[in-house]
Amino acid sequence: MHKRLRLTLATAAAATLTGGLLTLSAATASAAPTPGATTADADFNGDGLGDVATSATRAYVDGKKAAGQITVLYGGGGHTTISQNSAGVPGAAETEDYFGSDLAYGDFDGDGYDDLATGAGGEDVGDDVDGGTAVILWGSASGLHGGTTVKDPRPTKHDRFGGILEAADLNGDGRVDLALGTTTSATVDIYRGGFTRGGSTGGQYTLLPPILSGNGDGLRNLHSGDANGDGIEDLIVNGYENDTYDAYDANFWFPGSSSGVRAGTSQKLPAGFVTDVGDTDGDGYGDIIYGIGWDDGIAGARKGGAVLIGHGSADGPAYGDQQSFSQDTSGVPGGGEKGDSFGAELDLGDINGDGHLDLVVGTPGEDLDGVKDAGAVTILYGAADGSGITGTGAKMLSQDSPGVPNSDETGDFFGSDVHVDDLDSDGLGDVVVGASGENSDNGAVYPLLSGSDGSLKGTAGIYVSTVGVSGSGTPLLGNNFAD
């Protein structure tokens, strides 16, 4: 859920998409990217190229319905598809485990390779039905292999443990911490960095945000980023507030500190799902990106959906300025229509290499030329003067757009998730799009490489048959990326 925006020079390389998988061609002499270019985020095999992890939580595994799988697409070529039946992975694939319920990456053991934390929210733990489990899959020179269970500190006090995850350095010690939650309890368990493959951590503590807990209520989302510019990442918690009769959706910001997340200094933030945090206007404070994909019912909602940017400040994000975008904003293609879900998924990255962050917006419910729920993706670019995200020059892509594989079809939900990463080490943020409804809810992933001319092009989609995921049932490949 957490996306680290590492801004630095990157090695120039050329890339192509062949056979539906990412493969690099030999590097050719070309101008070095400008400072501020995007480099690889998740790098599970340490080759300097961005790797993409996505889940198919409803995939059949050895005949077990919705046991769940995770697929990793390596920037240098090849893929790995992992289930609880894979060698070295704790547990076993069972009906409705939903392995891959959430994904969060970071170098948890400090060996130089990114690792992947994930959950199986429907895992039965002994006699505890749907107790849930969380594991860390370990990175290596050959990619992800094996895993270790993250111990549940209160296994009988909640269900669906591991269903919500976030990786971040919440105390500024240079080690990655892991925050875990469930949809049935408000309690957040935070494990300090210092993870080992034997199962130990650097310690554990809890956070209790002011949201409804129990009786089917609990956490809805976790995200992180440095919104007050102190150099330590903060934690943002989403749920239904517990201080009003109506129990509206709300986010709460908890600042990080040298001792960890500070519970007593939280700030209430706007409603919506926070899917990224990044400094969009270059002022040194992380800006919080909220997706409000609903037509109505919560503050800030607009017909067709909306995106809210809450700018960070030294006093915290509650005191920063706000920007709002919808398909009715000047310069943004399309128009707000009921059920579009503009803002359902969002991700930041420098796509055109100008040193400013751009925002990719998923609109999976977009109807196009009479094709219902075909889905679309909109790119809102950072202003050339560095003042932040703007509607000027915005671009919309669908599967009928030049350079995008396949075609618009009913129920594809193109844009069900979006991810920006440098897949070919050219310093430009490439766009990866999930279409969870493709081929009758089998799902698909479409990597689109950014060109220096501003184009986005892919040559093939990645489908369940490409990566060895069963096409039985509704696997929903591409419904969730590790950010």
Side-chain angles (χ1 to χ4, degrees), residues 157-159 182-187 208 211-219 240:
K157 301 298 183 182
H158 50 223
D159 287 332
T182 86
T183 56
T184 64
S185 169
T187 301
L208 187 61
I211 62 174
L212 293 180
S213 183
N215 297 317
D217 290 313
L219 300 174
Y240 294 112

Side-chain angles (χ1 to χ4, degrees), residues 400-434:
D400 276 350
S401 298
V404 180
N406 217 320
S407 59
D408 295 339
E409 299 167 317
T410 299
D412 276 353
F413 297 110
F414 183 77
S416 54
D417 202 359
V418 294
H419 178 66
V420 182
D421 204 344
D422 185 5
L423 304 176
D424 54 4
S425 195
D426 66 352
L428 301 176
D430 304 306
V431 178
V432 187
V433 183

Side-chain angles (χ1 to χ4, degrees), residues 41-397:
D41 283 326
D43 184 4
F44 301 117
N45 58 5
D47 64 357
L49 301 171
D51 304 323
V52 178
T54 186
S55 57
T57 54
R58 294 181 178 272
Y60 277 66
V61 178
D62 293 336
K64 304 294 185 180
K65 177 184 176 182
Q69 290 177 303
I70 295 167
T71 292
V72 179
L73 308 171
Y74 295 105
H79 72 276
T80 300
T81 295
I82 301 170
S83 75
Q84 288 179 288
N85 283 354
S86 298
V89 177
E94 298 165 323
T95 298
E96 296 182 348
D97 275 352
Y98 302 110
F99 183 69
S101 298
D102 201 4
L103 304 168
Y105 68 84
D107 185 3
F108 292 106
D109 60 355
D111 66 351
Y113 300 100
D114 279 327
D115 312 303
L116 184 67
T118 190
E123 176 86 12
D124 294 343
V125 182
D127 295 331
D128 185 7
V129 177
D130 293 337
T133 189
V135 301
I136 296 176
L137 306 174
W138 301 109
S140 71
S142 56
L144 292 179
H145 292 285
T148 300
T149 299
V150 179
K151 185 178 180 180
D152 183 348
R154 293 176 312 284
T156 62
K157 301 298 183 182
H158 50 223
D159 287 332
R160 304 197 179 280
F161 181 73
I164 299 176
L165 306 166
E166 178 66 358
D169 182 4
L170 299 170
N171 60 2
D173 66 354
R175 300 189 295 182
V176 181
D177 307 319
L178 181 63
L180 287 93
T182 86
T183 56
T184 64
S185 169
T187 301
V188 182
D189 290 293
I190 301 174
Y191 297 79
R192 299 183 190 276
F195 294 85
T196 70
R197 302 191 181 202
S200 62
T201 72
Q204 181 263 339
Y205 62 102
T206 59
L207 175 72
L208 187 61
I211 62 174
L212 293 180
S213 183
N215 297 317
D217 290 313
L219 300 174
R220 303 185 71 213
N221 190 37
L222 293 171
H223 211 83
S224 60
D226 182 9
N228 61 358
D230 65 355
I232 301 176
E233 292 181 286
D234 315 313
L235 188 66
I236 303 163
V237 180
N238 177 267
Y240 294 112
E241 59 185 0
N242 63 9
D243 60 350
T244 67
Y245 175 80
D246 294 305
Y248 291 114
D249 177 89
N251 289 285
F252 294 89
W253 173 78
F254 294 88
S257 73
S258 59
S259 59
V261 173
R262 291 183 289 162
T265 53
S266 66
Q267 294 178 5
K268 184 178 177 180
L269 302 178
F273 266 46
V274 175
T275 55
D276 214 343
V277 178
D279 187 4
T280 63
D281 54 4
D283 64 355
Y285 303 107
D287 307 319
I288 299 176
I289 313 299
Y290 305 83
I292 308 174
W294 303 274
D295 296 303
D296 51 36
I298 66 171
R302 297 187 184 182
K303 186 172 70 171
V307 174
L308 179 69
I309 300 177
H311 290 270
S313 76
D315 296 320
Y319 297 95
D321 295 333
Q322 295 182 354
Q323 291 176 276
S324 181
F325 296 90
S326 73
Q327 289 182 293
D328 293 324
T329 299
S330 177
V332 178
E337 301 166 321
K338 190 172 183 179
D340 281 350
S341 298
F342 180 82
E345 288 293 343
L346 305 149
D347 208 13
L348 289 166
D350 184 4
I351 295 167
N352 57 7
D354 65 354
H356 307 303
L357 292 178
D358 310 309
L359 179 61
V360 180
V361 183
T363 313
E366 182 78 20
D367 297 345
L368 296 167
D369 296 327
V371 181
K372 183 174 177 57
D373 295 333
V377 168
T378 300
I379 300 173
L380 305 177
Y381 290 96
D385 62 1
S387 58
I389 302 296
T390 176
T392 302
K395 178 188 300 183
M396 178 186 282
L397 299 172

